Amino acid sequence: MSVDPNTPVLRNCIRLPLPEDELIEVTAKAKDYAIMHGAAMRSKSNFSEDSLNFAPFVLVPSSFPRKEFEKAVALQPIINRLMHNVAHDEEFITTTLAETIKVDEFTANLFNIYRKVLAHGFTQRTSLGMLRSDLMLESGCPELSPKALLWRGEADEDGQATAAAAVAVAAGTGSGGGVGVGVCGGKPRAKAKTMEEEEDEAAVKRNVQLSRATVSGVSTSTVASKDRKAAAYCCWKQVEINTIASGFGHLGPASKTVQSFVLRELGHADKLPNMPHNNALAGLCDGMVKAWDIYAKPQSVILFIIEDVSYNICDQRFHEFYIRETYPHIKVLRRTLTDVHREGKLGLNKELLLSGGLEVAVIYFRAGYEPGHYHSQDEWDARYLMETSLAIKCPSIQYHLAGTKKVQQALAQPAVLERFINDPEEMKAVGKIFTGLYSLDDNEAGNASYEMALRTPEKFVLKPQREGGGNNVYGVDIPDALKRMSRVERSAWILMDLIHPPLTKGYMVRPGAEMPPTIVDMVSELGIFGVVIGDADHIIHNYQAGHMLRTKLSTANEGGVAAGLGALDSPYLIDSDDEDEN
Ligand code: ADP
Ligand code: MG
């Protein structure tokens, strides 16, 4: 993916580059520290069950605007409730996926299970949702804080920012509020500006012309105004919401551990308070245990459904170890879908029983979200068996379907959102997190989206109903992909506006890569975890449960860490009135 040269750069946590000898020493230590604290994975190229590699990581935490982080955290329980309501709206799920299941076999198979379960009635009415809402900052947002950003646009001899960068910032309009969790709109809006906004803009214009700075040896312009009031830095947009196998409950907090160590080693312990506490592992595992409590049978176990080979093993075993250490009376088992087909059966009250008569209270799916996990009808039968059982599922089939891209696209329409959120302030706040999402169904609206994608493909990403990375089509590749599909086939996909996150600069450390690492341009994706437990009538538990940050090269389309493209990271929170490091 090409990167616009005017993309703003977020101010660094510490001054870079590091002196080479210090960089070599701290990187070598950090690699060992990562392996020894479970920031690790099994190697794909040299797989062995007996060894681990450190997971790729960013050496120093990437900056993230504090206000936007806090908004995302505050919004999560509302998103949890939204997804819970969506999952329990049979009519909405059925109509929304109607066209998709005609052409997408995988979604159709999931939907078939849903249909059968609906026909027979739910044996277990309670669901365990362990969600992760993924988001990116949008640098096209009109509210960029002048102090948090540097422009990589070429500076003229006076060190002034390019006109384009100045205009991009100065053109901003105001943000929405709403239950303290509002995020600003992605595009300038027509509404009248408040006096405060006018003042802010004037300050931006003045300051863009006044100051300069040097970052990583590149002279760029920056803005520094002591008198400017704190403002939102930048809005963020949801990339997707995950309702199945939301990973990094361990690797999120583990990234913070590694980067805290690095900052201390570099003599920057003073920076640690700006790395937010991350309780993801405990939050998610406690969710499973709360579900186990609801099931209320002392001998019952928690079952993890796993892939045939688990590369991302730390992010599963640490969950298991946390449960075993914190709640030693609860046993955790790991089985593949194939194993469940072989040994699983239902008891008299539809309890899920594994060999030896072990009764399963809670099923945590870390597999089952992609076609490759179902080798034959056996695995689908196993999924159905579990779905009809008394065990509490994470996710239950309706939650899985609620997490499809097609549902996300439908929810982005205000009229649809209204169906699930009553409070107008909450509606407003959630409505703003969606970037443009377009149906490609075979109807007038879908055909208009198709034409739009052919005209300006560089603005979009094309997504199928898949999870796990590597399935999307980006920018200039979209027209060919679309033209290969029939009109009906297109309805299995959705079209989404590309989000343009600001850049950060830093060192990415990868197994087997050359030492020392060099400074690269990167972009980050923040994931906020949420836990929600309840049935169609009641929500029993609903809370935000920590976060994770993944960072990729700015030129990469996707940033899956397990897929080898992204790197572990954690947010370093910055405020609009911070002093510049550089
Ligand atoms: P998956 O379910 O495969 O994880 P995602 O929707 O999360 O699918 O897309 C995978 C990756 O593609 C994201 O992690 C992100 O890096 C990139 N991506 C997805 N949507 C967008 C978007 N609208 N703008 C920019 N990048 C995106
Ligand atoms: Mg994703």
Side-chain angles (χ1 to χ4, degrees):
M1 194 194 287
S2 65
V3 180
D4 183 335
N6 286 324
T7 307
V9 185
L10 284 170
R11 168 167 34 77
N12 279 335
C13 158
I14 61 169
R15 188 186 294 268
L16 299 180
L18 295 171
E20 187 167 304
D21 46 352
E22 192 178 24
L23 174 63
I24 292 174
E25 194 178 340
V26 79
T27 307
K29 267 194 242 189
K31 287 181 182 182
D32 286 344
Y33 193 94
I35 296 176
M36 293 171 197
H37 289 77
M41 289 182 172
R42 298 230 199 275
S43 167
K44 279 193 173 160
S45 54
N46 200 6
F47 179 81
S48 161
E49 274 190 1
D50 298 342
S51 62
L52 289 171
N53 279 351
F54 66 88
F57 63 93
V58 180
L59 191 63
V60 173
S62 294
S63 293
F64 199 95
R66 184 187 309 274
K67 273 193 185 162
E68 300 309 318
F69 179 83
E70 288 172 354
K71 282 175 189 172
V73 164
L75 196 60
Q76 191 58 41
I78 299 171
I79 294 183
N80 290 346
R81 183 154 28 84
L82 166 68
M83 296 311 292
H84 186 82
N85 292 344
V86 169
H88 290 93
D89 190 327
E90 182 188 330
E91 206 240 346
F92 173 72
I93 291 196
T94 307
T95 14
T96 305
L97 295 175
E99 293 306 307
T100 309
I101 59 174
K102 286 183 192 158
V103 275
D104 185 314
E105 194 189 341
F106 181 66
T107 313
N109 283 336
L110 294 174
F111 193 84
N112 258 340
I113 292 179
Y114 178 55
R115 207 179 344 232
K116 282 198 273 178
V117 174
L118 278 175
H120 296 112
F122 289 90
T123 312
Q124 177 54 260
R125 295 186 70 242
T126 300
S127 290
L128 165 60
M130 298 210 286
L131 316 179
R132 202 186 69 213
S133 171
D134 290 343
L135 58 100
M136 279 175 166
L137 292 168
E138 171 58 75
S139 69
C141 160
E143 285 206 16
L144 299 173
S145 160
K147 278 212 69 181
L149 300 168
L150 301 164
W151 286 278
R152 72 202 244 107
E154 282 169 35
D156 62 21
E157 283 185 358
D158 297 308
Q160 290 186 352
T162 58
V167 169
V169 171
T173 54
S175 75
V179 296
V181 291
V183 287
C184 67
K187 295 177 185 99
R189 275 167 282 146
K191 96 172 172 55
K193 293 168 196 153
T194 63
M195 234 159 72
E196 195 173 300
E197 288 162 359
E198 301 270 12
E199 273 172 32
D200 281 354
E201 285 177 19
V204 170
K205 280 183 192 148
R206 274 199 308 279
N207 289 320
V208 161
Q209 289 163 0
L210 286 179
S211 53
R212 67 172 75 174
T214 302
V215 186
S216 312
V218 183
S219 177
T220 57
S221 177
T222 187
V223 182
S225 159
K226 292 263 183 262
D227 57 333
R228 192 176 182 281
K229 292 188 205 88
Y233 285 84
C234 192
C235 66
W236 53 262
K237 296 290 172 192
Q238 186 176 69
V239 173
E240 67 156 344
I241 177 107
N242 299 283
T243 59
I244 183 164
S246 311
F248 287 67
H250 159 72
L251 289 174
S255 318
K256 182 188 171 192
T257 310
V258 175
Q259 292 178 325
S260 303
F261 168 75
V262 169
L263 285 180
R264 278 194 302 271
E265 287 297 299
L266 293 173
H268 289 289
D270 58 307
K271 303 282 183 189
L272 300 184
N274 291 323
M275 297 180 73
H277 178 64
N278 193 353
N279 69 343
L281 183 67
L284 295 173
C285 293
D286 290 347
M288 289 190 244
V289 171
K290 285 180 202 304
W292 184 89
D293 283 338
I294 291 169
Y295 193 83
K297 291 205 190 166
Q299 300 305 316
S300 63
V301 304
I302 297 179
L303 171 67
F304 288 15
I305 298 296
I306 56 168
E307 316 99 299
D308 297 333
V309 181
S310 301
Y311 295 102
N312 193 6
I313 188 71
C314 296
D315 204 59
Q316 297 178 9
R317 284 289 190 202
F318 273 87
H319 294 60
E320 177 177 344
F321 301 158
Y322 173 91
I323 294 172
R324 296 295 293 144
E325 283 159 18
T326 317
Y327 310 95
H329 54 290
I330 307 178
K331 206 169 169 148
V332 174
L333 301 178
R334 288 164 62 81
R335 296 286 188 275
T336 63
L337 287 167
T338 317
D339 294 335
V340 173
H341 177 256
R342 202 171 40 240
E343 62 175 285
K345 58 175 198 260
L346 297 188
L348 283 180
N349 297 310
K350 298 206 177 171
E351 312 90 325
L352 178 64
L353 303 173
L354 296 179
S355 43
L358 285 169
E359 180 172 347
V360 177
V362 177
I363 307 174
Y364 173 43
F365 285 93
R366 286 300 295 252
Y369 54 82
E370 63 171 45
H373 296 159
Y374 299 81
H375 310 304
S376 66
Q377 187 56 38
D378 289 355
E379 287 73 22
W380 284 110
D381 291 347
R383 180 80 192 259
Y384 179 64
L385 181 85
M386 289 187 273
E387 222 45 63
T388 52
S389 80
L390 193 62
I392 299 176
K393 274 81 63 184
C394 175
S396 53
I397 193 75
Q398 66 270 32
Y399 254 85
H400 190 167
L401 291 171
T404 52
K405 310 278 191 290
K406 185 68 196 168
V407 166
Q408 184 193 12
Q409 177 258 307
L411 283 177
Q413 303 164 76
V416 175
L417 204 53
E418 251 173 34
R419 181 176 175 132
F420 301 106
I421 302 183
N422 298 327
D423 182 293
E425 290 294 294
E426 290 186 3
M427 246 297 280
K428 202 160 114 191
V430 175
K432 285 175 185 163
I433 72 176
F434 296 115
T435 190
L437 283 145
Y438 315 92
S439 152
L440 288 166
D441 285 358
D442 185 13
N443 56 30
E444 205 179 316
N447 293 335
S449 318
Y450 170 75
E451 295 297 336
M452 179 172 76
L454 293 188
R455 268 196 316 276
T456 51
E458 67 286 353
K459 292 186 177 163
F460 302 108
V461 48
L462 182 65
K463 298 189 179 184
Q465 311 306 310
R466 292 289 178 277
E467 302 294 328
N471 302 301
N472 301 340
V473 179
Y474 294 84
V476 291
D477 295 335
I478 293 177
D480 275 352
L482 280 178
K483 284 178 193 162
R484 277 197 300 271
M485 297 175 202
S486 69
R487 287 167 87 98
V488 181
E489 278 167 351
R490 293 204 297 258
S491 52
W493 298 70
I494 61 151
L495 191 68
M496 181 176 189
D497 285 347
L498 267 180
I499 307 167
H500 303 96
L503 304 178
T504 50
K505 286 177 179 287
Y507 299 106
M508 215 178 246
V509 187
R510 303 193 155 276
E514 249 177 54
M515 281 279 274
T518 51
I519 291 185
V520 288
D521 283 354
M522 310 179 292
V523 296
S524 299
E525 184 172 346
L526 179 69
I528 306 284
F529 291 106
V531 171
V532 53
I533 306 178
D535 60 27
D537 306 317
H538 303 101
I539 290 181
I540 308 163
H541 299 285
N542 177 7
Y543 56 91
Q544 182 265 338
H547 60 271
M548 51 80 86
L549 192 75
R550 261 177 316 177
T551 294
K552 61 179 182 179
L553 290 179
S554 62
T555 45
N557 282 331
E558 297 201 11
V561 178
L565 296 165
L568 306 183
D569 201 350
S570 45
Y572 175 79
L573 301 184
I574 54 173
D575 293 294
S576 56
D577 50 2
D578 284 349
E579 284 310 311
D580 210 308
E581 279 302 323
N582 298 288

